[in-house]
Amino acid sequence: MNWNRAIDRFLAYGPEQHPIVLQIGGNKLENLAKATQLATPYGYDEINLNCGCPSPKVAGHGCFGVRLMLDPKFVAEAMSVIAANTNVPVSVKCRIGVDDHDSYNELCDFIYEVSSQSPTRHFIIHSRKALLNGISPADNRKIPPLKYEYYYALLRDFPDLQFTINGGITSIEEVNAACTEGAHGVMVGRAAYGNPWQILGLVDSAVYGAPLRSITRRQVLEQYQVYGDSVLRIYGPRPTVREVVKPLLGLFHAEPRNVVWKRAVDAAFRHCTTIKSLFEETLGEIPDEVLDAPITEVPSGITDTFIKAKSLLPPPYTVNEEELLYA
């Protein structure tokens, strides 16, 4: 495989995926510059620096990810280098703290230094701190408590910046509730991956006000089969059938025979060589009334999570320039 094809494997995407953000990670300025330069021809809409991953391989031995929150001066330098090598906006994804460095003022010091010493104007805030004591990344998404009040306090104290809220948001209802209380944006990750039909399928209508599309899972899969077989093994042995189908495994979340279908898919991975053949072999496990039911709006409910968070805001942040100068 030649060099350009190797880069394509990681950076290429279809035009229908815009707007799309590339996240990069690292702790060496020259490597971050090179990564940004390599990404430029692919036309990403934003370049994001990972300052939130708590994985031992990343934040531990790698000394980047969320560990970078302990060095805001470096993050500001890194963001300046990234911005100098691209013509699109740059952003930072971070937690609200690390280990015992978890006060609201310390979070604000990080935001202030990075934003004042670099072109960064957008921060995606995972509203939990990270624990670097050896617990797994999965536990780091559950054990540290959510503190949405820190996020809403940032909106108050940094009115010239853009903040996206992240962490623990698992429904369209919660997305809209966060926005109603003033969130500039909402990032939903694992919930959308685990239940795409009821999350991604409703975003356009329930969040952006577009007309609800009368589309079924069968129609989605017919389109995905064409796409999947077109990208199968375009980089030598990759992507495999398993890799192409994996994003679909939550499509029948909580539906009858979902577990049976997943078992059939797992067995089919061993011998199916196309997406079409895998679907032909396994989709008979899903009832027609599930495959052919159009997506419907979920009845809206009331969530006061973010209203409560706004009642718990910490005191306003005051910049201590002298402390930051000698930090």
Side-chain angles (χ1 to χ4, degrees), residues 26 36 125 168 180 212 220 233 249 303:
T36 306
I125 307 294
T180 296
L212 185 64
V220 169
R233 293 181 290 276
L249 294 180
T303 176

PDB file of all heavy atoms in Angstrom, residues 26 36 125 168 180 212 220 233 249 303:
ATOM      1  N   GLY A  26      -1.729  14.131  21.058  1.00  0.00           N
ATOM      2  CA  GLY A  26      -0.277  14.050  21.129  1.00  0.00           C
ATOM      3  C   GLY A  26       0.284  15.094  22.069  1.00  0.00           C
ATOM      4  O   GLY A  26      -0.436  15.965  22.571  1.00  0.00           O
ATOM      5  N   THR A  36      -1.854  17.941  11.397  1.00  0.00           N
ATOM      6  CA  THR A  36      -2.764  18.951  10.861  1.00  0.00           C
ATOM      7  C   THR A  36      -2.516  19.177   9.375  1.00  0.00           C
ATOM      8  O   THR A  36      -3.453  19.285   8.574  1.00  0.00           O
ATOM      9  CB  THR A  36      -2.599  20.272  11.632  1.00  0.00           C
ATOM     10  OG1 THR A  36      -2.756  20.029  13.033  1.00  0.00           O
ATOM     11  CG2 THR A  36      -3.631  21.301  11.189  1.00  0.00           C
ATOM     12  N   ILE A 125     -16.950  20.156  26.571  1.00  0.00           N
ATOM     13  CA  ILE A 125     -16.729  19.869  27.982  1.00  0.00           C
ATOM     14  C   ILE A 125     -17.415  18.571  28.387  1.00  0.00           C
ATOM     15  O   ILE A 125     -18.651  18.500  28.467  1.00  0.00           O
ATOM     16  CB  ILE A 125     -17.269  21.024  28.862  1.00  0.00           C
ATOM     17  CG1 ILE A 125     -16.696  22.369  28.415  1.00  0.00           C
ATOM     18  CG2 ILE A 125     -16.957  20.743  30.336  1.00  0.00           C
ATOM     19  CD1 ILE A 125     -15.213  22.530  28.600  1.00  0.00           C
ATOM     20  N   GLY A 168     -23.072  11.736  29.716  1.00  0.00           N
ATOM     21  CA  GLY A 168     -24.293  11.290  30.377  1.00  0.00           C
ATOM     22  C   GLY A 168     -25.588  11.676  29.700  1.00  0.00           C
ATOM     23  O   GLY A 168     -26.665  11.444  30.247  1.00  0.00           O
ATOM     24  N   THR A 180     -32.337  24.186  25.817  1.00  0.00           N
ATOM     25  CA  THR A 180     -33.314  25.121  26.382  1.00  0.00           C
ATOM     26  C   THR A 180     -32.695  25.934  27.508  1.00  0.00           C
ATOM     27  O   THR A 180     -33.014  27.125  27.687  1.00  0.00           O
ATOM     28  CB  THR A 180     -34.548  24.359  26.894  1.00  0.00           C
ATOM     29  OG1 THR A 180     -35.193  23.722  25.784  1.00  0.00           O
ATOM     30  CG2 THR A 180     -35.536  25.289  27.579  1.00  0.00           C
ATOM     31  N   LEU A 212     -40.310  15.194   9.687  1.00  0.00           N
ATOM     32  CA  LEU A 212     -39.984  13.815  10.035  1.00  0.00           C
ATOM     33  C   LEU A 212     -40.026  12.951   8.780  1.00  0.00           C
ATOM     34  O   LEU A 212     -41.030  12.916   8.067  1.00  0.00           O
ATOM     35  CB  LEU A 212     -40.976  13.278  11.070  1.00  0.00           C
ATOM     36  CG  LEU A 212     -40.681  11.877  11.624  1.00  0.00           C
ATOM     37  CD1 LEU A 212     -39.369  11.886  12.402  1.00  0.00           C
ATOM     38  CD2 LEU A 212     -41.829  11.411  12.512  1.00  0.00           C
ATOM     39  N   VAL A 220     -32.973   1.943   5.284  1.00  0.00           N
ATOM     40  CA  VAL A 220     -31.640   2.347   5.739  1.00  0.00           C
ATOM     41  C   VAL A 220     -30.622   1.260   5.410  1.00  0.00           C
ATOM     42  O   VAL A 220     -29.523   1.532   4.898  1.00  0.00           O
ATOM     43  CB  VAL A 220     -31.652   2.646   7.251  1.00  0.00           C
ATOM     44  CG1 VAL A 220     -30.225   2.801   7.780  1.00  0.00           C
ATOM     45  CG2 VAL A 220     -32.466   3.899   7.549  1.00  0.00           C
ATOM     46  N   ARG A 233     -12.806  -3.660   1.976  1.00  0.00           N
ATOM     47  CA  ARG A 233     -11.438  -4.037   1.594  1.00  0.00           C
ATOM     48  C   ARG A 233     -10.801  -3.087   0.572  1.00  0.00           C
ATOM     49  O   ARG A 233      -9.951  -3.500  -0.225  1.00  0.00           O
ATOM     50  CB  ARG A 233     -11.422  -5.480   1.061  1.00  0.00           C
ATOM     51  CG  ARG A 233     -11.740  -6.517   2.123  1.00  0.00           C
ATOM     52  CD  ARG A 233     -11.689  -7.929   1.565  1.00  0.00           C
ATOM     53  NE  ARG A 233     -12.795  -8.196   0.646  1.00  0.00           N
ATOM     54  CZ  ARG A 233     -14.021  -8.578   1.027  1.00  0.00           C
ATOM     55  NH1 ARG A 233     -14.277  -8.758   2.313  1.00  0.00           N
ATOM     56  NH2 ARG A 233     -14.967  -8.801   0.136  1.00  0.00           N
ATOM     57  N   LEU A 249     -24.882  -2.500  14.847  1.00  0.00           N
ATOM     58  CA  LEU A 249     -25.300  -3.494  15.835  1.00  0.00           C
ATOM     59  C   LEU A 249     -26.287  -2.959  16.868  1.00  0.00           C
ATOM     60  O   LEU A 249     -26.912  -3.732  17.593  1.00  0.00           O
ATOM     61  CB  LEU A 249     -24.075  -4.102  16.529  1.00  0.00           C
ATOM     62  CG  LEU A 249     -23.172  -4.935  15.606  1.00  0.00           C
ATOM     63  CD1 LEU A 249     -21.981  -5.497  16.365  1.00  0.00           C
ATOM     64  CD2 LEU A 249     -23.964  -6.065  14.940  1.00  0.00           C
ATOM     65  N   THR A 303     -37.470  16.879  31.653  1.00  0.00           N
ATOM     66  CA  THR A 303     -36.278  16.582  32.449  1.00  0.00           C
ATOM     67  C   THR A 303     -35.782  17.881  33.059  1.00  0.00           C
ATOM     68  O   THR A 303     -35.662  18.896  32.367  1.00  0.00           O
ATOM     69  CB  THR A 303     -35.174  15.932  31.600  1.00  0.00           C
ATOM     70  OG1 THR A 303     -34.011  15.754  32.408  1.00  0.00           O
ATOM     71  CG2 THR A 303     -34.818  16.750  30.374  1.00  0.00           C
TER      72      THR A 303
END
